[in-house]
Amino acid sequence: MKKLSIFLLALTAFGYSAFAQSSPITVKKSDTRHGPEKGSLLIIGGNVGSQRDIWEKFTELAGGKDKAVLVVVTTASGDSAAYDKKGVEEVKRQTGIKNVTLFHTSDFKEANSEKFIAPLKNATAVYFEGGRQWRIADSYLNTLTHQAFIDVLNRGGVIAGSSAGASIIGSFLWRGDTKGAQVLVGDHTQGLGFLKYSAIDQHLLVRNRQFDLVDFIRNAPDFIGIGLNEATAILVQRDTLQVLGHSFVAIYDYNTIINSGEKHVVNNREDFTASNGPFFFLGAGQKYDLAKRQVIKEPRKPGKADDDQ
C-alpha cells in the first residue's frame, strides 16, 4: 500500500490538473466535495433487472420517455457490443425512452473526434453498460468524448452506469486491471471522475466484496468508498446521496475505519445510521451527506418503538 499512498497523495494534492494538461478536459474548481455541481449521477451495483424505482428515476432525470435523448455506452462489453443491440433494447424496454443511440468505440483517436461525439451534443442522459471498466478508460479517458460526457451533466442531465459502468463513474478506477476483477488496484487507476475523490465497487454482497475497500480508504482519507449490492443504486445530486433499490450500499469513510466516527450503540441504544466497524450500510430511501460525511437522519416517526424486535 506504500506506492498506493504516494499515488493518492499526489492525486489529492493536484486534483485532475496533471491529467488534464494534455487533454481537452476543462478542469474547474468545484464547490462540491464529491458530487457534480449540476446534473445527477445514478450509480447501480449491477444486475438491475426490472427494479422499477431505479429505472423510473433514471427516466425522470433523463427528461421523460418522450423527451429524453439517451446515449447507451456499450464499450465495456467488448468489440462485439458495437453490433449487438441486446443491451440497448433492454434499456429501451425498461425505460420506454424512444430516442436511444448505441455509442461504441475502442479507438482512442475516434473518441477524440468531433464527428464521433455528435450524438452527445443534445443528450439528456448517458448510460454505461457493464463489462470491464478498463475498456471504457482506454477508449474515452481525457478525450473530447470525456468532455462531452461532462457537458451532459453541466446541462443538467443524468449519467448512469451499472456494474463496470458504475465503477468508471468514480475518480479512482477500482478493479481496473486488465488481468481481471480480482486485482483491486491494477494497471488502470483513473476513472472518468464524475464522482470526485471516490472509489466505487459493485456486486458487493453477492460476491463477498464488503471488506475490499477498507484498506484503500484507510490510505486515502480524502476519498469516499462506495460499495453497491446488485439491483441497488445511489442517486447523487451535488453532495447528497440517496439509496434506491432493494438491497444495501456500504459507505467507507476514513473516520469510520479508524473508529472515530459515530458509534452504533450510544447509552445502550442502537443508532441504525452509525457503525462500530470499518464501514456501514444504508438501505433504500436513506440519505448521506458526502460533504459532511454524515448520514442525513430523517425525523423518527411517531409511535415507532426503539426496542429490538
Side-chain angles (χ1 to χ4, degrees):
M1 280 287 179
K2 184 176 181 181
K3 290 182 179 179
L4 173 61
S5 299
I6 294 171
F7 172 80
L8 292 172
L9 181 62
L11 185 61
T12 301
F14 297 109
Y16 287 107
S17 58
F19 295 108
Q21 287 175 357
S22 60
S23 82
I25 306 300
T26 300
V27 180
K28 297 179 181 180
K29 185 176 181 179
S30 175
D31 64 357
T32 58
R33 182 171 181 176
H34 293 286
E37 292 191 42
K38 297 179 180 178
S40 305
L41 301 174
L42 191 62
I43 307 171
I44 309 165
N47 287 336
V48 62
S50 298
Q51 191 69 36
R52 294 315 311 157
D53 58 340
I54 295 176
W55 287 119
E56 287 172 3
K57 178 57 69 173
F58 177 65
T59 305
E60 173 194 327
L61 294 168
K65 63 182 182 180
D66 296 321
K67 294 183 179 180
V69 179
L70 171 59
V71 170
V72 178
V73 183
T74 61
T75 305
S77 297
D79 290 339
S80 63
Y83 312 101
D84 185 355
K85 295 185 177 181
K86 181 175 61 176
V88 174
E89 291 302 319
E90 176 64 11
V91 174
K92 289 176 69 174
R93 187 179 71 83
Q94 295 289 355
T95 62
I97 296 174
K98 299 176 175 60
N99 189 344
V100 182
T101 300
L102 185 154
F103 195 79
H104 186 103
T105 190
S106 56
D107 185 338
F108 188 83
K109 290 183 179 180
E110 184 178 27
N112 218 14
S113 69
E114 289 287 347
K115 181 180 178 181
F116 182 74
I117 67 173
L120 290 166
K121 293 290 188 178
N122 297 311
T124 62
V126 175
Y127 182 86
F128 288 92
E129 286 190 349
R132 293 295 293 122
Q133 46 265 45
W134 61 264
R135 293 191 181 111
I136 304 173
D138 272 356
S139 295
Y140 304 124
L141 193 62
N142 297 329
T143 64
L144 287 173
T145 300
H146 190 173
Q147 181 61 55
F149 292 146
I150 296 171
D151 291 342
V152 173
L153 285 177
N154 290 338
R155 293 195 299 268
V158 57
I159 290 181
S162 181
S163 191
S167 289
I168 197 66
I169 288 173
S171 55
F172 191 94
L173 192 56
W174 193 243
R175 301 186 190 276
D177 197 276
T178 52
K179 293 187 291 295
Q182 73 279 3
V183 181
L184 305 182
V185 178
D187 52 21
H188 288 62
T189 53
Q190 189 184 357
L192 295 179
F194 307 131
L195 189 68
K196 301 181 289 291
Y197 295 115
S198 69
I200 301 170
D201 207 354
Q202 10 79 11
H203 304 284
L204 189 77
L205 297 176
V206 296
R207 298 187 185 179
N208 289 315
R209 293 174 168 181
Q210 57 267 34
F211 289 95
D212 291 354
L213 273 166
V214 174
D215 282 343
F216 179 89
I217 299 301
R218 193 194 309 275
N219 285 275
D222 289 326
F223 281 64
I224 191 76
I226 297 173
L228 302 105
N229 201 28
E230 294 180 355
T232 307
I234 56 170
L235 168 64
V236 180
Q237 294 174 315
R238 293 186 62 81
D239 272 325
T240 298
L241 174 159
Q242 181 177 1
V243 180
L244 306 173
H246 79 266
S247 188
F248 296 94
V249 171
I251 302 294
Y252 302 81
D253 170 62
Y254 177 77
N255 290 321
T256 304
I257 290 171
I258 66 170
N259 201 30
S260 66
E262 294 182 83
K263 301 302 180 184
H264 179 59
V265 178
V266 180
N267 296 329
N268 203 34
R269 294 176 65 180
E270 281 187 296
D271 183 342
F272 301 114
T273 64
S275 173
N276 288 346
F279 56 86
F280 58 90
F281 289 114
L282 298 176
Q286 287 190 284
K287 296 180 180 180
Y288 183 75
D289 188 321
L290 290 163
K292 296 179 179 179
R293 299 287 181 89
Q294 293 177 351
V295 176
I296 299 172
K297 298 180 181 181
E298 300 292 340
R300 185 177 294 276
K301 294 180 180 179
K304 185 171 183 179
D306 292 328
D307 296 336
D308 289 344
Q309 300 295 315

